[in-house]
Amino acid sequence: MLITKHTNQVLKVDLQNWHGRFWDIFQIRAIPIVGVLIIIYGIIFSPRVHLSCNHVTVDSSIYHQTQVVCNLTESNMLDEKITQIEHLQKAREGYCPEDDVRVVLIAKRKKIPLPKKIPLTKGCYRKSVVSQQIAEIKEFINNPGEATLNIDEDHRWGYFLVGLATTIFGIFIVFCKSLTSCAFDKSSGRLYLEYQNSLSQLTVREKSLDNIHKINFTESTEGEGKECYHTEIVFKSDEIISFRSVKDDSEIVQAINQFLGIDDSVDS
C-alpha cells in the first residue's frame, strides 16, 4: 500500500504501486492469448490417429493362412507417419507413467502402443474407451470374415477444451474488477472504494466513515515460510473488506486509524 494523499480532510491509499499494477495487467491480459495459442497449437501439432486393419490371405506351397495386417497413421498439419503392422495377434492394455491405460498392439516380434496421452490432459485415454477399442480389435482378429477395421482418435479435442476454458476464464478475469484504492474523506463523511479492471474501467463504491469500526493489520506465514500481510476494513455492520500485500503495511494501517481517530493496535 502507498499513501498518495494525506491532508486534514482526506487520506487516500493506493493498494498497489504502478509497476505491480502493470505486471498484474500484463499477466491478466495474457491469459486469453494463451488460451487461443493452445487452440492453435492443437490444430497444427496435435496428432490424429487412424488404425486400419484387413485380413490378408498368405498362400505358399506349405500352408494357407490368413493374417491381420494393419496400418497405423499418425498425422498432423505438418507431418504424417505410417507404421505397417504385420501379423497382428492381439491387443491389450498398457500403462502410462501416470498409471492410466492405453491400447498396445501385439504383433509378431514387437509391441506397438497407440500414441501416448494428450499432453495437456491427465491420463492417456479413458479406460472405457480403451476397453472398447481392445474388444473391437479382438473381435476383428477372431472373425476373418470381417473386411476392414477402422479406429480413429482425434486428440485435438483436448487442446480445444483446455484452450477454450483458458480463454473464457481469461476474458472473465479481464473484465473482473478488483479494489485498487481507498479514499477516506472527512468532509463528506464517506469512504470511497475504487474498483478497476485491466481495461481501466472504474467503479466507485461509497461507505459511511461512521460505520467503520477499525482497520486491522495481520501478518501470517504461508506453507513455504513466506510472509503474507493482510489489511481489513472492519465495519460495525460486521462487513469486512480485506486485501493482501507483499510488504509490511502496519505503519500505513496505523496512520489510517489515527486519521479516523480510532484506537490503534496491530494484530500479528
Side-chain angles (χ1 to χ4, degrees):
M1 294 193 296
L2 178 66
I3 296 177
T4 56
K5 186 176 183 180
H6 192 178
T7 67
N8 292 332
Q9 296 297 315
V10 178
L11 175 64
K12 185 173 182 181
V13 179
D14 282 352
L15 305 183
Q16 201 172 36
N17 53 37
W18 69 268
H19 50 84
R21 177 68 178 164
F22 174 80
W23 178 244
D24 282 353
I25 290 175
F26 173 77
Q27 288 180 306
I28 289 171
R29 292 186 178 182
I31 293 174
I33 298 174
V34 170
V36 173
L37 290 177
I38 291 173
I39 294 174
I40 294 174
Y41 181 90
I43 293 173
I44 298 175
F45 296 104
S46 66
R48 274 80 78 189
V49 179
H50 177 68
L51 177 67
S52 176
C53 299
N54 295 279
H55 289 282
V56 177
T57 301
V58 179
D59 290 314
S60 70
S61 58
I62 302 175
Y63 61 84
H64 176 87
Q65 182 182 8
T66 299
Q67 66 173 344
V68 177
V69 176
C70 303
N71 284 327
L72 177 63
T73 304
E74 304 171 53
S75 63
N76 55 39
M77 290 186 66
L78 303 179
D79 190 25
E80 182 178 82
K81 176 185 176 182
I82 300 176
T83 303
Q84 188 173 41
I85 305 169
E86 296 182 355
H87 198 65
L88 178 65
Q89 298 172 343
K90 61 180 179 178
R92 63 171 176 82
E93 291 182 356
Y95 289 89
C96 296
E98 295 81 3
D99 293 331
D100 288 317
V101 297
R102 58 173 164 170
V103 177
V104 177
L105 303 175
I106 309 297
K108 192 173 183 179
R109 298 187 185 136
K110 60 182 177 180
K111 301 176 182 178
I112 303 96
L114 291 188
K116 61 182 180 179
K117 69 172 186 174
I118 304 166
L120 293 176
T121 59
K122 184 180 179 180
C124 302
Y125 300 99
R126 295 192 309 274
K127 188 175 179 66
S128 60
V129 174
V130 170
S131 298
Q132 180 182 352
Q133 291 175 342
I134 291 175
E136 290 178 5
I137 295 171
K138 288 182 177 179
E139 183 178 357
F140 181 79
I141 293 173
N142 295 327
N143 291 276
E146 294 190 24
T148 304
L149 171 68
N150 291 294
I151 293 178
D152 292 289
E153 286 282 354
D154 191 342
H155 294 178
R156 287 175 295 182
W157 65 268
Y159 292 90
F160 292 161
L161 290 179
V162 174
L164 183 60
T166 304
T167 302
I168 293 174
F169 173 74
I171 292 174
F172 172 78
I173 294 296
V174 165
F175 286 96
C176 185
K177 295 177 182 178
S178 59
L179 184 61
T180 56
S181 69
C182 306
F184 303 85
D185 191 339
K186 289 183 179 179
S187 60
S188 64
R190 310 297 290 174
L191 165 63
Y192 298 98
L193 303 167
E194 294 186 355
Y195 293 82
Q196 195 172 9
N197 60 24
S198 66
L199 301 178
S200 298
Q201 296 172 329
L202 185 67
T203 297
V204 179
R205 292 175 55 196
E206 297 183 21
K207 299 283 186 179
S208 172
L209 290 183
D210 293 335
N211 192 33
I212 297 177
H213 173 63
K214 195 171 188 178
I215 314 297
N216 282 336
F217 176 81
T218 58
E219 177 183 344
S220 60
T221 303
E222 295 182 340
E224 298 179 354
K226 184 179 180 181
E227 297 296 331
C228 184
Y229 307 96
H230 295 271
T231 301
E232 296 179 340
I233 304 176
V234 183
F235 295 90
K236 296 175 183 177
S237 60
D238 292 332
E239 180 185 358
I240 297 176
I241 297 175
S242 64
F243 38 89
R244 60 181 292 174
S245 62
V246 295
K247 64 184 182 67
D248 189 338
D249 293 320
S250 57
E251 292 185 1
I252 295 177
V253 171
Q254 291 173 7
I256 297 172
N257 280 323
Q258 291 172 4
F259 177 80
L260 296 175
I262 297 172
D263 291 336
D264 176 58
S265 67
V266 176
D267 299 327
S268 59

